Amino acid sequence: MNKDEKRLQRRKRLMDNKAYQTMQGLSRYMDRYYLDALIGVIPGWGDAIALLSVVPFVYFSSRVIKSIPLTLAVLNNALRDVLMGMIPFFVGDIIDFFHRANIKNMQMIQGFVDGDEAIIKQVNQRALQSAIVLIVLMLLIVLMIWLLISFGSYLYSLI
């Protein structure tokens, strides 16, 4: 068996994985059919619920492909999507229509599955940047939650 046949067998095995098929469905429904933006409309919980859609992507990138840089990039996209979705007054929901984090994550994972050297190189080069951005995004999300709770408390006190 030559190198190309081994690569094609690995590709088929990865694409037959249940998590891979789940990711394809999530990408389609969350981003192409705008379910991410619609779920984001649920006050206080929409973005947290939408964040659950990243679980198969993280599992596949970390456990199946076993790539830390890819996992960091997937988390980076997902947390960026959550932070933008948390912007109040439906601005975040409008941004969710355009950001499409699940499709971006699927494209990166597909690049790894296909052995696309350009995508693999790009993700690996951005690993440190993704780690730093990931920490900043988590801090910003915590800050945004605090601001939204404070703003909600202020509005409640006016009533």
Side-chain angles (χ1 to χ4, degrees), residues 60-74:
F60 194 82
S61 62
S62 66
R63 297 293 181 198
V64 178
I65 295 181
K66 297 179 178 154
S67 171
I68 291 173
L70 178 61
T71 304
L72 289 172
V74 164

Side-chain angles (χ1 to χ4, degrees), residues 22-83:
T22 301
M23 291 183 308
Q24 284 184 316
L26 282 170
S27 294
R28 183 175 44 256
Y29 290 108
M30 295 298 280
D31 289 345
R32 288 195 180 106
Y33 298 142
Y34 305 107
L35 191 57
D36 186 19
L38 293 174
I39 290 172
V41 173
I42 301 170
W45 292 100
D47 294 307
I49 293 168
L51 184 61
L52 292 175
S53 70
V54 79
V55 171
F57 293 92
V58 171
Y59 170 79
F60 194 82
S61 62
S62 66
R63 297 293 181 198
V64 178
I65 295 181
K66 297 179 178 154
S67 171
I68 291 173
L70 178 61
T71 304
L72 289 172
V74 164
L75 286 169
N76 186 347
N77 273 342
L79 291 178
R80 185 175 293 162
D81 187 54
V82 167
L83 180 64

Side-chain angles (χ1 to χ4, degrees), residues 65-140:
I65 295 181
K66 297 179 178 154
S67 171
I68 291 173
L70 178 61
T71 304
L72 289 172
V74 164
L75 286 169
N76 186 347
N77 273 342
L79 291 178
R80 185 175 293 162
D81 187 54
V82 167
L83 180 64
M84 288 188 290
M86 292 175 77
I87 298 172
F89 306 115
F90 301 105
V91 173
D93 300 315
I94 294 169
I95 292 171
D96 269 343
F97 269 88
F98 300 104
H99 186 249
R100 300 184 178 202
N102 293 308
I103 288 176
K104 291 176 184 179
N105 286 339
M106 195 67 209
Q107 289 170 343
M108 285 188 299
I109 287 173
Q110 189 65 50
F112 270 74
V113 168
D114 291 341
D116 185 330
E117 295 296 326
I119 290 177
I120 294 169
K121 183 179 179 181
Q122 179 184 23
V123 169
N124 287 336
Q125 286 177 341
R126 293 186 179 172
L128 179 60
Q129 175 191 3
S130 290
I132 293 167
V133 168
L134 197 63
I135 292 168
V136 170
L137 285 172
M138 286 190 291
L139 291 172
L140 287 172

